[in-house]
Amino acid sequence: MNQQIIATPELAGPIRSETRDGMRIDWDVPLPMDDGLALRADVYRPIAEERYPVIMSYGPYAKLLHFEDGYVTAWRKMVDEFPDVLANSSNRYQAWEVVDPEKWVPHGYVVVRVDSRGAGRSPGVMDPRASRETRDYAACIEWGGVQPWSNGKVGLNGISYYAINQWQVAGLQPKHLAAICLWEGMTDHYRDYIYHGGIYCTFAQNWYDMQLKVVQHGLGTRGHKSRLNGELVSGPPTLTDEELGANRIDMWRELFEHPLDDDYHRERSADLSKVKVPLLSAGNWGGQGLHPRGNFEGFVNAASEQKWLEVHGIEHWTHFYTDYGVELQRRFFDYFLKGEDNGWDKQPKVQLQVRSPGEKFVQRFEEAWPIPRTQWTKFHLQSEAYGLAQAEPGGSIDIAFRALGDGVTFLTDPMESETEITGPIAARLQVSSSTTDADLFLVVRLFAPDMKEIAFRGALDPHTPIAQGWLRASHRKLDPAKSLPYRPYHPHNEVQPLEPGKTYELDIELWPTCIVVPKGYRVGLSVRGRDYVYSGGSGGRLSNMKNEFTGCGPFLHDDPRDRTMDRFNGETRIHIGGGGENYLLLPIIPVK
């Protein structure tokens, strides 16, 4: 990228340091990078002059911005429903998606928050997740490992962005990195985030506008003033719009210019074969559209010999701050950063909050993922009554729907007994199109005996289905070396247009999920030509998101640049019978 950094004055004078709330706080500590730029960090540490393990985060959401000031609806919803978040803390230092130092410093940790390049108090060009950021993060880790207050062991912790870049930097294997906790963080920039099944998702470009540009370094007096210490969150300089634009990438353009899985996406993805540090990967069943695929793929494919998986429900940010989440994180880090004999070495490799309708969760431990006793069961699309059953279809039929429409739903009979579905899901369909392409949106849904749909609280949207998957038919090519029966893998390295009217076999990945289906309920598979919409009404909106929630949260695939009328506004057909298979492969878990 050929962009000129607009010069901004360095923060002058000695480091501002103070003691309050039982902590020694050093504000805006300069961390020198190899190109001469100095990033800025806040350091929260115990008052006693000893050596402590370090919990570090590095990211773009501005270390001096209070959680409530940047994400008011998320904050209020969390603290209203989970008052333990507020307990044992003044909450003066709460920030979006990073640890509360008041819950870590008293337990003998140093908390370091670093503003990434171009964000908050750190100058430079804002280029999210690029290799420059990853190298910066590694330098920060090595800095934290040699400070006089450090015991030489650095752990990384945080949600979303603060988890994603952990996967990336762990691949560089910095010497002082001792453990990572990846709370709801993707690993694959292309598949998890930008192009679901090859279909462009508009979330990232809107996220860039709503969450990054608003805290870009150089906003100065035009940005927030911190309630933490009174400083300008994105200062001290105040730049013009033109200067700010020169100091950040044009994400709306860059993402759309890379429709295949090329070096641009690989640079911003994790190399899991090089991730060898002990890790705890914490996912969310309701995170369809962004993070859970990465949590599962990271856990399975990381080269680490010591790795654990935890999966929970409810909102994206909540459990990271509840007693449940904090205690889990602390046990993990106490073991690897402090060397405490707390039994973590005997912790089962997989800890699941098994989900039932009504947001009911039961904790259960397993030894591996996918669960070894899984009964992989094909539910075939039926030629009559839009059924979904284990029996092969008895006849042949073509089912047509408008290619940009709501498609068709296939239903099982009422379940004869309570049935648990937990794990990855895959589908195979025989499809033709009247045009040279077709986008398929697959949605696994749950219906009560009265045929009312049962939705679930998602990581963001309060009305989400069980699971979702996507595939652009021209991206149907599989990588046989990486594909599994329950998780097909598409290389997304070329476009293979369809011949109108010709039938093609498509293997489609649906993201892992968990639901205990009550007796008498039905499971449905909707094959659609556009995003799922919950029929029960609006899910409201969050202050940091552009769109109203209608079932998919902010993860929409409606950019007209990507879905042009000449390629996608036709008719799609599913061909049942005639020798080809059409099925949904479900992970049925027998009772122990």
Side-chain angles (χ1 to χ4, degrees), residues 52-53 107-109 151 153 178-179 330-345:
Y52 303 95
H107 291 270
Y109 286 93
N151 73 350
K153 294 184 177 181
R330 194 178 291 148
R331 284 183 57 231
F332 172 73
F333 284 119
D334 283 351
Y335 182 80
F336 286 106
L337 271 60
K338 291 184 176 183
E340 290 187 4
D341 184 9
N342 60 6
W344 184 268
D345 55 325

Side-chain angles (χ1 to χ4, degrees), residues 11-16:
L11 299 173
I15 296 170
R16 176 181 169 188

Side-chain angles (χ1 to χ4, degrees), residues 44-183:
Y44 301 82
R45 52 194 172 98
I47 295 173
E49 297 291 340
E50 299 178 15
R51 293 183 178 272
Y52 303 95
V54 178
I55 299 293
M56 181 177 286
S57 57
Y58 170 103
Y61 295 139
K63 61 186 174 59
L64 290 182
L65 182 64
H66 192 277
F67 191 134
E68 186 177 14
D69 293 339
Y71 303 86
V72 59
T73 48
W75 172 259
R76 291 178 181 173
K77 183 176 181 62
M78 178 173 67
V79 299
D80 286 348
E81 296 188 23
F82 298 90
D84 56 318
V85 170
L86 298 178
N88 303 311
S89 174
S90 73
N91 298 288
R92 293 174 65 182
Y93 310 97
Q94 292 274 17
W96 178 246
E97 298 190 332
V98 294
V99 303
D100 177 1
E102 289 187 276
K103 293 190 177 183
W104 287 84
V105 173
H107 291 270
Y109 286 93
V110 174
V111 172
V112 178
R113 295 174 174 173
V114 186
D115 277 342
S116 57
R117 185 176 292 243
R121 304 281 286 184
S122 293
V125 171
M126 180 181 282
D127 188 0
R129 304 187 187 92
S131 58
R132 175 70 260 184
E133 273 201 0
T134 307
R135 296 195 304 275
D136 285 349
Y137 202 175
C140 294
I141 293 166
E142 299 300 67
W143 175 89
V146 298
Q147 297 309 299
W149 34 255
S150 171
N151 73 350
K153 294 184 177 181
V154 178
L156 309 181
N157 199 7
I159 315 174
S160 189
Y161 199 106
Y162 298 102
I164 298 163
N165 58 14
Q166 290 183 53
W167 290 114
Q168 292 176 264
V169 75
L172 298 183
Q173 301 175 10
K175 180 175 64 174
H176 293 285
L177 183 59
I180 56 178
C181 177
L182 314 115
W183 205 274

Side-chain angles (χ1 to χ4, degrees), residues 404 435 560 562-570:
L404 295 177
T435 68
D562 183 57
R563 308 189 73 205
T564 58
M565 291 296 102
D566 59 324
R567 288 178 61 199
F568 296 100
N569 191 26

